Amino acid sequence: MQSQAYAAQQPQSVVAAMLREISDWRPLRILCGYRIAVAAILLLAFAAGHRNELFPLVYPALFLEICLGYLILALLAFTMAYAQQPAFALQLHSQILLDIFAIAGLIHASGGLQAGLGILMVIAVAGGSLLAGARMSGFYAAVATLILLFEQALAELAANTGHGSYTQVAALGLATFATAFAGSMLARRARENEALAAQRGLDVADLEVLNDQIVQRLEIGVIALDSGDRIRLLNRAARELVGDVDTRRRPPLAEVSPGLAGAYRRWRETWAGALEPLTARRGGQEFAPRFHPLGSQGRAGVLIFLENLTQMRAQVQQVKLASIGRLAASIAHEIRNPLAAMMNAAQLLSEAQDARSANRRLVEIIYQQGKRLNTTVENVLQLSRRTPPSRNRIQLAQWLPMFVADWREQQGPDLNRVSFELEGAAVAALFDADHLRQVLDNLTRNAVEQVEQAGGTPRVVLRMGRDPSAHPFLEVADNGPGVPLAIREHLFEPFATGSANGTGLGLYLARELCEANQARIHLNEEVAAGACFRITFADPLKEDD
């Protein structure tokens, strides 16, 4: 990946490096195959035409020897090209020289250029120029032309016919030079195009990796469907809503999420319109799908964007409550000092010996209500100066009995009649132990208060386990009348309470502590009797990974 990124930043250096790497064995093997075919065809032509004088030769024995030697050397060159030994440059230059001298010998044995074998010289030099480069192509064209001139001179001296055929040699030499330079330029252009194509491939690969990283880290869920409504891409946020999907087998959307598939079909009927929010399989979160076709009428597929409405509402609520919390904290600081003075004065009045019984009752009311107001102030201040969590792995089966023992000691003998029950399989949770103690203390106090107000004997059940997505949870259930329907929607908001003596800040503080520890608390409405609050923790195994 780093080498690709470096190549993307320096395309010219990549092109130059690829141009220097001219050791392309595949074209060399093709030239070897062509050489074998030429030698074999000449041997067949010699065998078929020599007897019938259809293939007249001046030196038939020499022609046969050169053809056989050419075929043997061509087979040897083909073998070495496949073995890639010795070096590419040595094989290339030796094979081009072999072609030039072998074809020159064949031209000489056939009686000169009149036999028509001169075209083989042009093809041999042109084929070599595709791999040898412009300078070496010119060199080989010059060698071939000089050898043709030398051959023509020998033919002229032997036959004593004058210099009438030098025109043909000149034309053949010019054709050799032209094809050599044209082949070398075409080869260079092909190498440049290949290098640019390779560079574009690196750029595309880098962009693909970059796009994948961006898509996977988007807060909004993204699902890409192909033209057959099969899932080909799914980012991390979408997996949280529809579950883990193996995109390699491209499952149908209806198999992964029937509800989302139904919304998709309704959207396809009109290609527009608002859709009702859906509920996710995992965690019960609400999300709103939006569809965007790719290509005309979605022929190239469809992009599905999943907006997590539960998360959006929580973020809006957090911003709103944060501003309320800062305002409440500033007010609490202003109230605390005069409230303390008022409570001290009330306590002194209650201890005065000359206080009448009627006045003593009024002073007691002032003191009790002041104490209640002071509890509210303390809760508000606790929210404003909350410390960051220090999460540790907590074995709940071992930790909860210690919490119950400490809670009984702090409450005194009046609450010893509260019964506790531990249920479920032992699980571990990642949580700040002090924060978890505050959350459970608040939930337990609320449970005991609700049961006592209903006139019953408090019984608290602490239930452990794992939810369908394998996250550990802890439930705090009681045998009270349950949470009134009127306040369930605003249960975790500040000052929302169904108790005459409650402040409405306990559950809000519990939710804040849970979210700070990457956990979630909610009312389990599936429980018919009593109130049941479930804390869903982050999985410590996944956190360790």
Side-chain angles (χ1 to χ4, degrees):
M1 180 65 191
Q2 292 179 353
S3 61
Q4 292 179 355
Y6 180 78
Q9 295 174 0
Q10 299 184 357
Q12 295 180 354
S13 63
V14 172
V15 173
M18 296 194 69
L19 288 176
R20 287 194 297 268
E21 294 177 0
I22 62 173
S23 302
D24 193 347
W25 293 97
R26 184 178 179 185
L28 185 62
R29 297 187 191 107
I30 295 175
L31 286 177
C32 291
Y34 162 77
R35 188 176 298 112
I36 295 172
V38 169
I41 291 172
L42 290 176
L43 281 174
L44 292 174
F46 174 82
H50 178 62
R51 297 172 183 174
N52 303 326
E53 295 185 357
L54 296 175
F55 194 63
L57 300 171
V58 177
Y59 306 107
L62 178 62
F63 188 90
L64 180 60
E65 292 174 358
I66 293 176
C67 281
L68 290 174
Y70 192 34
L71 179 60
I72 293 172
L73 292 176
L75 292 171
L76 180 61
F78 189 80
T79 303
M80 291 190 298
Y82 258 98
Q84 299 186 7
Q85 291 294 332
F88 176 84
L90 178 60
Q91 291 195 42
L92 173 63
H93 298 312
S94 61
Q95 290 178 23
I96 296 176
L97 292 175
L98 170 64
D99 290 336
I100 292 174
F101 285 104
I103 294 172
L106 294 173
I107 292 173
H108 176 73
S110 62
L113 296 177
Q114 291 80 7
L117 297 180
I119 190 64
L120 295 178
M121 185 71 76
V122 177
I123 297 175
V125 174
S129 66
L130 295 176
L131 298 174
R135 182 176 300 177
M136 293 304 298
S137 298
F139 169 74
Y140 290 127
V143 172
T145 303
L146 290 174
I147 291 177
L148 290 174
L149 288 172
F150 181 72
E151 166 58 30
Q152 182 62 29
L154 288 179
E156 292 289 340
L157 291 174
N160 197 19
T161 58
H163 303 282
S165 299
Y166 281 101
T167 303
Q168 186 178 0
V169 175
L172 196 59
L174 288 175
T176 303
F177 273 100
T179 55
F181 284 115
S184 63
M185 293 189 65
L186 288 175
R188 179 178 177 83
R189 181 64 60 87
R191 293 190 191 98
E192 290 178 352
N193 291 336
E194 182 181 2
L196 290 176
Q199 177 60 43
R200 296 295 182 267
L202 294 178
D203 293 341
V204 170
D206 286 344
L207 287 175
E208 184 178 356
V209 173
L210 179 62
N211 290 338
D212 183 68
Q213 294 293 327
I214 293 174
V215 170
Q216 291 298 329
R217 282 166 172 75
L218 287 176
E219 294 295 331
I220 189 172
V222 178
I223 300 177
L225 303 181
D226 59 15
S227 57
D229 298 339
R230 293 179 173 273
I231 297 176
R232 65 181 182 183
L233 184 144
L234 195 76
N235 73 341
R236 189 179 305 170
R239 292 179 190 275
E240 292 293 328
L241 297 174
V242 302
D244 292 330
V245 178
D246 185 7
T247 56
R248 291 175 297 180
R249 65 180 186 89
R250 295 201 173 186
L253 179 62
E255 176 185 322
V256 175
S257 177
L260 184 59
Y264 173 63
R265 286 193 299 270
R266 291 192 297 273
W267 173 79
R268 291 284 305 241
E269 295 174 356
T270 59
W271 298 96
L275 298 172
E276 293 294 329
L278 303 175
T279 302
R281 285 184 176 183
R282 299 174 61 176
Q285 302 182 78
E286 283 191 345
F287 64 93
R290 290 189 295 109
F291 304 94
H292 180 74
L294 300 176
S296 177
Q297 297 294 311
R299 290 187 177 90
V302 174
L303 281 179
I304 305 178
F305 299 98
L306 307 179
E307 295 181 350
N308 193 326
L309 299 180
T310 302
Q311 190 177 26
M312 292 175 61
R313 294 189 190 114
Q315 291 174 350
V316 172
Q317 187 72 2
Q318 282 292 100
V319 174
K320 181 174 69 175
L321 295 180
S323 59
I324 295 176
R326 288 192 294 269
L327 176 63
S330 61
I331 295 175
H333 277 289
E334 297 297 327
I335 293 177
R336 192 177 188 184
N337 291 333
L339 179 62
M342 181 183 69
M343 292 179 63
N344 290 333
Q347 188 173 6
L348 291 175
L349 284 175
S350 64
E351 294 174 355
Q353 296 181 357
D354 57 346
R356 292 177 297 177
S357 59
N359 292 337
R360 188 183 299 275
R361 175 58 184 162
L362 294 176
V363 171
E364 183 179 352
I365 292 175
I366 294 173
Y367 182 79
Q368 292 297 329
Q369 295 302 316
K371 186 178 179 180
R372 178 185 174 189
L373 183 58
N374 185 65
T375 301
T376 303
V377 172
E378 289 294 335
N379 288 334
V380 171
L381 292 178
Q382 186 178 9
L383 286 173
S384 64
R385 58 173 179 255
R386 190 182 66 203
T387 58
S390 176
R391 294 197 303 164
N392 296 299
R393 185 192 298 268
I394 301 175
Q395 299 293 337
L396 295 180
Q398 302 172 7
W399 187 85
L400 288 175
M402 294 187 293
F403 163 77
V404 172
D406 293 341
W407 191 86
R408 288 186 183 279
E409 292 180 359
Q410 294 175 3
Q411 305 309 315
D414 294 339
L415 291 179
N416 283 336
R417 57 194 178 90
V418 178
S419 64
F420 285 89
E421 298 180 13
L422 299 180
E423 296 180 358
V427 294
L430 279 178
F431 216 92
D432 186 304
D434 292 335
H435 288 179
L436 183 59
R437 186 174 289 105
Q438 293 182 50
V439 172
L440 293 184
D441 179 74
N442 183 275
L443 295 177
T444 305
R445 284 175 179 271
N446 288 348
V448 172
E449 182 179 347
Q450 293 297 323
V451 175
E452 288 183 339
Q453 287 181 358
T457 302
R459 182 173 61 88
V460 179
V461 179
L462 303 177
R463 187 179 299 112
M464 301 168 287
R466 287 185 176 271
D467 62 12
S469 60
H471 286 80
F473 70 83
L474 173 63
E475 288 184 342
V476 181
D478 59 48
N479 58 335
V483 179
L485 294 176
I487 66 169
R488 286 189 179 184
E489 184 178 354
H490 308 284
L491 187 60
F492 293 96
E493 294 183 7
F495 309 111
T497 179
S499 174
N501 299 320
T503 63
L505 290 174
L507 290 178
Y508 172 66
L509 177 61
R511 189 191 68 173
E512 291 291 304
L513 292 175
C514 287
E515 291 182 352
N517 287 270
Q518 300 183 17
R520 188 168 62 92
I521 183 172
H522 69 282
L523 178 67
N524 188 357
E525 300 185 12
E526 297 180 357
V527 178
C532 179
F533 290 89
R534 172 178 286 194
I535 304 171
T536 305
F537 303 98
D539 193 343
L541 298 178
K542 295 182 179 180
E543 291 283 337
D544 291 343
D545 293 341

